[in-house]
Amino acid sequence: MMEIRKLLKTSAFRAPWPTRIGGDVVASLMQEPSICKKCKTHSCVTERPMLLGSVCSDGLTYFGTSVSGIHLVIYGLTSLSNREVLGKKFGTQRKHELKGRAISQSDVNNWIESIKQLDKILQEERDLDLGEKLEALHETPKLAEEIKIAAEYLIQGKPGVTLEEKFNASSRIEKTIFKASQILVDTFDLLTVFLNPDSAGLGELISVMPYKLIHKLTFILSTQSDERTKKIVNFVGSCRSEYKVFDSFKIIPMALLNNALKYSLGNQNVEVHFEEQGQSTKISIVSIGPYLDDDEIKMIYQRGYRGASAKKINSAGMGIGLYVAQAAAQANGTTIKASSTLLKTKLNGHDLARNTFTFYAHDAPSRGRSG
């Protein structure tokens, strides 16, 4: 959808009616009526219109939908149903300006469907181009795995009983090599699922202890070069269960932990809650960060979507982490669910909230993705 917005901004490709994409007015064959230009409230944008159509306080019709996580609004129109009302409300000059702006629901549906098809084609072309560029790196994941094994061998030779103790006993250079090798391998795994979501449900099932896996991810992801910025991750509850899952399972906690550490604000710690429930374990990752409204919670798993607060805090993100994590979750027979509880405080202009991302660990379905 980002590419479509850029195309429309060039004026080489025009929308048939006045249109806003992500709040920006784009080039259109039909110009904005003067009513819209003078409008102070812009309710067509702020009130999240429906695809079935809404009517603003000035009596004009607008339609809205979401394409690849970006809001699209068609506005400044009249509908067949409210044309008679407008005829009584406006004078001759205003009625003349609005002439030819009556559209049907099918007109809107057909154009939006064409936009979605174009978005799909552009996305497929982008993936193909990316895949071709990455083909030259096809040996790199193997090399990254070898580096990871060598780094783990270095750490295992240090004094201590647990991996964390051995890690803490290592030199700063050894810690950096170990952390970088782990993240490098995990990044290649994430990229594989990004390019082909179905791959999250392929391969043999492996035995994983979620508590042990997440504990390892925690001290890898939370280790910073500047100790003053290091985030503390607290574990609440425990889990000794072991489950048969796909290798993609590790992407779920990795992406959620990475997001929690990246977007938690102030000196707030991140919490990981474990609750064993029969044949499964409920796992929740909790952090204090920017508030997520209901619309944003619906869109955060869409490919390429990034919320306004996320962009301000970290402009370098690509909006793929939660998309890939949800694909991995579904392949392993679960679904990530998010909630955001607004707190009565602000920080750096952000409304703070207690953000919770929850999924369940259990034996994965043998054939991968479930509903």
Side-chain angles (χ1 to χ4, degrees):
M1 192 59 181
M2 294 298 294
E3 289 89 347
I4 294 177
R5 178 159 55 175
K6 291 176 182 177
L7 284 172
L8 289 169
K9 282 186 174 182
T10 65
S11 299
F13 176 65
R14 293 173 178 264
W17 311 288
T19 303
R20 288 175 180 264
I21 297 181
D24 297 329
V25 176
V26 298
S28 61
L29 296 174
M30 181 183 290
Q31 297 302 309
E32 276 187 317
S34 59
I35 304 173
C36 297
K37 291 179 180 179
K38 297 175 182 177
C39 179
K40 302 293 185 182
T41 61
H42 297 295
S43 60
C44 60
V45 177
T46 59
E47 294 182 5
R48 294 294 184 182
M50 298 182 296
L51 186 56
L52 294 176
S54 305
V55 178
C56 71
S57 58
D58 288 315
L60 297 182
T61 300
Y62 56 99
F63 304 84
T65 189
S66 178
V67 181
S68 294
I70 297 178
H71 209 62
L72 182 150
V73 179
I74 303 166
Y75 64 101
L77 304 169
T78 63
S79 66
L80 300 177
S81 60
N82 76 338
R83 187 165 51 184
E84 185 177 340
V85 175
L86 290 175
K88 297 177 180 179
K89 184 175 182 178
F90 297 132
T92 303
Q93 183 178 352
R94 187 60 56 81
K95 284 191 290 185
H96 178 73
E97 183 187 13
L98 297 176
K99 187 176 181 180
R101 291 178 179 271
I103 63 172
S104 67
Q105 183 69 54
S106 61
D107 292 333
V108 175
N109 291 344
N110 290 337
W111 186 67
I112 288 178
E113 186 58 34
S114 69
I115 287 292
K116 290 181 177 180
Q117 287 297 319
L118 177 59
D119 182 59
K120 181 180 179 182
I121 291 171
L122 291 174
Q123 183 171 290
E124 289 173 347
E125 287 297 315
R126 185 173 64 244
D127 287 349
L128 180 62
D129 180 59
L130 179 59
E132 290 174 349
K133 291 177 180 177
L134 291 174
E135 182 61 29
L137 302 175
H138 69 282
E139 290 295 328
T140 307
K142 296 179 183 178
L143 294 174
E145 186 66 37
E146 291 179 11
I147 295 172
K148 175 186 172 183
I149 293 171
E152 289 178 344
Y153 181 79
L154 283 175
I155 300 297
Q156 289 295 342
K158 300 299 176 180
V161 178
T162 67
L163 179 59
E164 186 173 11
E165 290 174 351
K166 293 175 182 290
F167 178 82
N168 290 332
S170 303
S171 69
R172 184 168 182 172
I173 293 177
E174 290 168 331
K175 288 179 180 178
T176 300
I177 294 173
F178 177 77
K179 178 188 173 184
S181 66
Q182 298 284 327
I183 293 177
L184 185 60
V185 170
D186 291 342
T187 299
F188 277 117
D189 290 340
L190 185 146
L191 186 59
T192 298
V193 177
F194 172 69
L195 292 172
N196 179 18
D198 289 336
S199 67
L202 300 178
E204 298 294 325
L205 297 177
I206 59 174
S207 295
V208 167
M209 294 181 66
Y211 190 95
K212 186 176 180 180
L213 168 66
I214 296 174
H215 186 265
K216 179 181 178 181
L217 287 171
T218 294
F219 71 80
I220 291 174
L221 294 175
S222 63
T223 302
Q224 302 289 334
S225 57
D226 185 352
E227 288 296 319
R228 293 172 298 177
T229 64
K230 182 177 179 179
K231 299 284 185 179
I232 296 175
V233 180
N234 295 323
F235 281 30
V236 180
S238 63
C239 167
R240 297 184 179 180
S241 299
E242 185 173 311
Y243 302 105
K244 294 287 187 179
V245 297
F246 290 104
D247 188 56
S248 63
F249 179 84
K250 66 182 178 182
I251 291 175
I252 310 170
M254 179 184 73
L256 296 182
L257 267 174
N258 191 46
N259 269 18
L261 292 166
K262 187 188 301 181
Y263 297 116
S264 61
L265 299 176
N267 297 319
Q268 301 291 337
N269 296 332
V270 174
E271 295 180 350
V272 182
H273 295 245
F274 295 88
E275 182 184 340
E276 291 190 317
Q277 300 179 354
Q279 300 300 311
S280 64
T281 298
K282 179 181 178 182
I283 302 172
S284 299
I285 296 176
V286 184
S287 62
I288 304 299
Y291 175 65
L292 305 172
D293 62 31
D294 291 342
D295 286 336
E296 191 164 358
I297 285 178
K298 292 177 183 177
M299 294 189 288
I300 53 178
Y301 306 108
Q302 294 188 27
R303 176 177 175 151
Y305 177 80
R306 299 193 73 221
S309 294
K311 293 176 183 176
K312 290 178 182 177
I313 296 172
N314 186 346
S315 60
M318 297 177 63
I320 66 173
L322 290 179
Y323 165 76
V324 174
Q326 191 69 287
Q330 291 173 350
N332 284 279
T334 186
T335 301
I336 302 169
K337 295 185 178 179
S339 66
S340 188
T341 304
L342 193 61
L343 304 175
K344 296 180 180 180
T345 183
K346 284 190 174 186
L347 182 63
N348 300 330
H350 300 285
D351 289 319
L352 293 185
R354 179 181 172 88
N355 296 323
T356 304
F357 287 81
T358 301
F359 66 99
Y360 285 82
H362 49 64
D363 288 336
S366 58
R367 293 187 178 181
R369 182 167 286 119
S370 74

